[in-house]
Amino acid sequence: MACVLVFNACDPSGAGGISCDALAIASVGAHALPVLTGAYARDTREILDFFEMNEEAVGDQARAIVEDVPPQVIKVGFAGSPENIGVIAELASDYDGVPLVAYMPNLSWWQEEKIDEYLDAFRELLLPQTSILIGHHSTLRRWLLPEWSGEKNPGPRDIAKAAAVMGVPYTLVTGLPLADQHIDNVLATPETVIAHEKFERIEAVFAGAGETLSAALAALLATGLELPEAFSEALNYLDRSLDEGFRPGMGQVIPDRLFWAQAEADDEADDAEDSMHPTGDFFEVPHNETKH
């Protein structure tokens, strides 16, 4: 089974972080090698705090597993600190032939000076080794084109050009609003748009959509799919996950990355009939009413 080395933080809500990566990667047919970079204090509404893991601990975790299990792809989520970015970049340079998929989350919850230090380190140390950069249009625009002065918002190729200056060959820009209540997602290089797929906007606020997409894409590449096909498959997986999303708490909706494991209507009817058998050995699970 293809393996993906994953760097990310622990998210106790299950919306994003290392648990999101592990579920999405397993769901599309690969195995996650998770390396913890820190832990959020958060609920389904907001991130309250973050506790970073020091760079020695991150490095030791990663080195221990890659010396035993060679990864087919490296996926970087939230590294937690500039120091951790340095450790990841050093390891990635030792595995130069392994594609690196980098996802840049929205960091607006963090202190401004920490955001600037993190983004500077990511730009200087990790982008030169990144094969595919993934992020929401607004996040990548603010980061890579802070002084944009054009009359129109920068397009995916504009963002890809800015990323290419730092050595990134491919950029996946998500969340581009369209006029017909759809959202476009574009895989681009500085020269061209390789592929794009639009989906109907779902009237809900999701947490973890970008991390789900980036983890699925990394896993599909690890299994041997070519980039355009992996792009399409990952977006369709995300769309199904969002369509089956659920709200476990009082905040945002979480993608159901295991939508394929949910019982179909016929199976549920069969289960109900079996549960009525007088000699049946069973326990009754309360119905989950949080599904949307």
Side-chain angles (χ1 to χ4, degrees):
M1 183 176 285
C3 295
V4 181
L5 179 66
V6 183
F7 294 90
N8 214 338
C10 176
D11 177 353
S13 76
I18 211 79
S19 61
C20 160
D21 288 328
L23 280 176
I25 288 169
S27 291
V28 300
H31 176 64
L33 307 173
V35 175
L36 196 64
T37 60
Y40 297 104
R42 70 159 300 171
D43 54 24
T44 60
R45 292 172 292 190
E46 60 183 335
I47 297 173
L48 304 170
D49 206 347
F50 178 74
F51 310 98
E52 68 186 61
M53 188 164 281
N54 67 56
E55 64 268 31
E56 182 179 357
V58 172
D60 286 351
Q61 290 178 78
R63 293 287 180 186
I65 191 58
V66 297
E67 288 174 8
D68 177 40
V69 182
Q72 279 67 55
V73 170
I74 299 171
K75 188 259 179 179
V76 181
F78 183 50
S81 70
E83 293 77 16
N84 288 347
I85 289 173
V87 168
I88 296 169
E90 182 180 350
L91 182 139
S93 68
D94 292 340
Y95 290 81
D96 188 45
V98 178
L100 191 151
V101 176
Y103 171 65
M104 179 53 67
N106 181 349
L107 300 175
S108 60
W109 55 271
W110 217 9
Q111 296 97 317
E112 187 172 346
E113 63 178 45
K114 288 191 174 183
I115 295 174
D116 292 340
E117 292 172 357
Y118 184 88
L119 293 179
D120 288 346
F122 208 105
R123 181 187 294 106
E124 295 172 15
L125 302 176
L126 210 52
L127 281 189
Q129 301 184 68
T130 296
S131 306
I132 307 165
L133 174 65
I134 303 173
H136 193 277
H137 178 262
S138 61
T139 298
L140 295 183
R141 176 200 168 172
R142 288 194 300 269
W143 176 31
L144 298 175
L145 294 168
E147 298 179 1
W148 178 264
S149 58
E151 293 183 4
K152 297 182 179 180
N153 280 332
R157 282 185 56 203
D158 297 312
I159 293 174
K161 287 178 183 178
V165 171
M166 302 306 299
V168 180
Y170 301 101
T171 302
L172 199 174
V173 183
T174 68
L176 289 153
L178 298 176
D180 55 353
Q181 288 300 306
H182 282 70
I183 294 175
D184 205 6
N185 304 278
V186 181
L187 178 65
T189 69
E191 295 79 24
T192 187
V193 169
I194 296 175
H196 76 98
E197 292 203 18
K198 67 177 183 178
F199 293 91
E200 187 175 356
R201 185 190 299 272
I202 299 175
E203 295 301 325
V205 180
F206 288 93
E211 295 203 67
T212 303
L213 174 62
S214 56
L217 179 65
L220 290 164
L221 291 172
T223 65
L225 291 188
E226 296 295 327
L227 180 54
E229 185 180 359
F231 165 79
S232 180
E233 291 288 337
L235 279 168
N236 278 281
Y237 170 76
L238 173 64
D239 189 54
R240 287 291 306 279
S241 298
L242 297 181
D243 191 50
E244 298 294 333
F246 62 101
R247 181 177 283 109
M250 297 180 288
Q252 296 172 319
V253 178
I254 294 176
D256 183 358
R257 297 148 192 132
L258 295 177
F259 61 83
W260 49 266
Q262 299 298 329
E264 298 292 340
D266 290 344
D267 295 335
E268 291 174 349
D270 291 341
D271 291 343
E273 185 175 341
D274 291 343
S275 71
M276 296 173 65
H277 196 282
T279 60
D281 181 13
F282 66 93
F283 62 91
E284 186 173 350
V285 180
H287 177 63
N288 179 2
E289 297 183 347
T290 62
K291 293 290 285 183
H292 288 258

